[in-house]
Amino acid sequence: PYIDIMAFHTYYTTTAEDIVPVIQCFQSTMATYGISSMPFWSTEGAWGNDSDLPGKDDQAGYVARSYLLLWSNGVVRHYWYAWNDQQTGTLEADGKANTPGTAYTQVESWMSGRTMKTLCSEDSKSKIWTCGFTGSNGYESQAVWHAGGNKSYTAPDEYVNYLDLTGK
């Protein structure tokens, strides 16, 4: 009776997908104590020190994948650390969004006003992750990635427009 939310931090590894079993462990604990309906927040998180994941494209991918995976796994808020810290989770340079900051903005636009129709999951054979969204007026979209780098993917026919993490 003395808590309002369940909260945790998401500094674990530089692989965004590693957060999924951590979330599942927390959810199991919440179920054990009868608090599964309580809001579940990530009150702070990033890939850690910028030197731990030095490539800007890798950082951009981490931002996108972590937000999508947290949302898909029932985390209703996630606070990024830190937008302008020049050593940890840096999303800006010289007062402007850098490559991972642009990815943050892009993914926010994909998520806002949408409902997750299909939870993020990894295909066991191709190792490609997908999540499906719906929006107003029947809008449907899908996020797709391969955590191991580039890989060919053929989207279902209903998806005719494509955006990357830069918005192109």
Side-chain angles (χ1 to χ4, degrees):
Y2 304 106
I3 59 174
D4 299 318
I5 63 165
M6 181 65 148
F8 71 122
H9 287 183
T10 60
Y11 303 106
Y12 291 95
T13 72
T14 57
T15 303
E17 293 76 15
D18 289 348
I19 197 63
V20 174
V22 175
I23 292 169
Q24 292 169 343
C25 182
F26 273 102
Q27 289 169 330
S28 175
T29 301
M30 291 169 71
T32 298
Y33 291 98
I35 57 172
S36 294
S37 63
M38 190 168 288
F40 191 25
W41 294 5
S42 164
T43 55
E44 184 178 309
W47 58 75
N49 292 325
D50 291 351
S51 60
D52 294 336
L53 190 64
K56 295 295 182 204
D57 289 341
D58 292 334
Q59 292 172 355
Y62 182 94
V63 169
R65 294 176 0 239
S66 65
Y67 269 92
L68 292 168
L69 289 165
L70 290 165
W71 184 28
S72 177
N73 284 278
V75 178
V76 297
R77 290 191 187 189
H78 175 55
Y79 295 95
W80 188 262
Y81 187 87
W83 184 269
N84 63 351
D85 182 302
Q86 298 303 306
Q87 295 179 9
T88 304
T90 306
L91 300 183
E92 75 158 27
D94 300 321
K96 296 179 185 175
N98 60 13
T99 301
T102 299
Y104 176 98
T105 302
Q106 187 63 42
V107 170
E108 187 272 335
S109 74
W110 296 347
M111 294 170 62
S112 292
R114 308 292 195 295
T115 302
M116 188 162 282
K117 176 182 176 182
T118 308
L119 299 179
C120 298
S121 63
E122 180 185 34
D123 180 81
S124 61
K125 291 182 183 175
S126 69
K127 301 298 183 187
I128 291 176
W129 286 79
T130 58
C131 322
F133 317 109
T134 58
S136 60
N137 301 324
Y139 173 88
E140 291 197 17
S141 60
Q142 184 182 56
V144 179
W145 73 89
H146 180 259
N150 293 333
K151 189 158 191 176
S152 181
Y153 176 75
T154 302
D157 291 341
E158 65 263 27
Y159 302 115
V160 295
N161 297 309
Y162 305 90
L163 292 172
D164 63 19
L165 293 177
T166 68
K168 294 179 183 172

